[in-house]
Amino acid sequence: MFTDPVALAHQLDKLEEIEKASSRLVTQAVFEFRSEAAEIFARQPDKPQDVAEDLTREALDRLGVSRMDSRLPGNIDYKRARYVFHPEYAIRQALLVDSKAEKEERTATLQTAQTSLKIRHALSSGGVVDIPGGLPVIAQSDRGDCITTSIIVKYIYINGNRPKLEAAIVAAIPNGFLQDRYNPTATDTIWRAGRHSTLRGEAFRVRLVFAKLREKMRWRVQMIDMPAPPPRTTAPVRPPAFDWQE
């Protein structure tokens, strides 16, 4: 009944379809939770990064997803072994969603443990980076192998008397099977050098460039603006729908 994840190495359009559906799921969860997220972000005394992690978990738990009774290893904010059902197939998936809280909206800083893609990009010094991602393209579980799907939710905020949540960006990072479509070489890339110092022994970081990923596949980057205050009216107000960028 279930598609073998190994087969997706030769069925890349199907893999894109699975990741697109997963991106829709995460985007809808964050979109529906955005009003509460903005309020929580403003009143919580914790560090923005800690609040961001809680927001993503609560948004996805509230929406709910299918689940397998299996635990996934790894230090990821939200991880769920689950079933993906499609009219033509079913597959087991390791859905991994990590959160970021930063003040700029052009990139997201990642560790190798947050992608199964090889990280290839050029350096200003003239050299190149070519290192493997830390996630497996297929995750093992006691219920069967799962295709790995990695998604980032970046919360953009500004400081003031209280931090203010401005927007959220949902970015679907391609699975490593899609390497040749998204990052075949150091010059054809979605990455930029990260903010880390090898001289100080800091762990490797890389920046995912949203514009470059969007150029490859527009739906992989979705922007969610925080809502305006509700109108003062007693008439029923129809909830807005998210404007999915295809």
Side-chain angles (χ1 to χ4, degrees):
M1 175 180 177
F2 287 94
T3 296
D4 185 350
V6 174
L8 295 179
H10 306 289
Q11 300 174 20
L12 299 185
D13 288 343
K14 180 182 287 189
L15 178 53
E16 295 259 20
E17 183 177 73
I18 292 167
E19 295 192 342
K20 186 175 184 179
S22 301
S23 180
R24 283 186 179 275
L25 169 73
V26 175
T27 299
Q28 188 65 32
V30 175
F31 177 75
E32 291 190 5
F33 192 63
R34 70 198 188 286
S35 295
E36 293 93 330
E39 293 175 5
I40 292 169
F41 202 92
R43 69 172 184 258
Q44 284 291 341
D46 299 330
K47 293 179 180 179
Q49 178 60 38
D50 295 336
V51 178
E53 294 168 8
D54 290 341
L55 294 179
T56 297
R57 283 192 290 264
E58 189 166 348
L60 284 163
D61 285 343
R62 182 174 296 192
L63 183 68
V65 300
S66 63
R67 64 184 302 162
M68 295 163 47
D69 187 18
S70 182
R71 187 180 184 278
L72 296 172
N75 186 22
I76 302 291
D77 295 342
Y78 182 93
K79 53 187 178 181
R80 177 66 55 84
R82 73 182 197 114
Y83 300 110
V84 175
F85 296 105
H86 185 274
E88 303 300 327
Y89 60 85
I91 194 166
R92 297 178 179 90
Q93 178 191 52
L95 178 62
L96 308 175
V97 186
D98 238 348
S99 307
K100 306 290 177 184
E102 297 175 335
K103 297 177 184 178
E104 63 90 20
E105 61 183 56
R106 293 174 296 177
T107 66
T109 301
L110 273 67
Q111 305 174 34
T112 56
Q114 294 169 314
T115 177
S116 59
L117 279 175
K118 290 183 179 179
I119 298 169
R120 295 168 172 164
H121 67 83
L123 297 171
S124 57
S125 62
V128 298
V129 169
D130 189 345
I131 64 172
L135 288 177
V137 292
I138 297 172
Q140 295 181 336
S141 81
D142 54 2
R143 294 298 184 97
D145 289 347
C146 305
I147 190 66
T148 299
T149 300
S150 180
I151 296 176
I152 295 293
V153 182
K154 176 169 178 174
Y155 297 90
I156 303 164
Y157 70 97
I158 58 175
N159 277 334
N161 293 332
R162 295 184 301 176
K164 181 182 178 183
L165 191 57
E166 293 277 279
I169 295 175
V170 177
I173 305 173
N175 180 277
F177 282 150
L178 296 164
Q179 186 78 47
D180 289 342
R181 289 191 177 187
Y182 289 90
N183 186 204
T185 67
T187 55
D188 187 356
T189 186
I190 58 176
W191 309 108
R192 182 186 300 167
R195 302 179 183 91
H196 66 278
S197 171
T198 54
L199 295 178
R200 293 196 296 267
E202 294 176 348
F204 177 83
R205 297 286 190 275
V206 68
R207 281 180 284 180
L208 173 67
V209 182
F210 295 135
K212 291 182 178 293
L213 180 57
R214 190 183 288 114
E215 287 174 3
K216 294 280 188 180
M217 192 67 72
R218 185 174 178 83
W219 61 258
R220 284 191 177 271
V221 180
Q222 302 290 330
M223 172 74 81
I224 303 170
D225 293 321
M226 292 300 108
R232 294 182 178 180
T233 176
T234 58
V237 178
R238 184 177 182 179
F242 179 71
D243 184 17
W244 174 265
Q245 299 300 301
E246 189 63 41

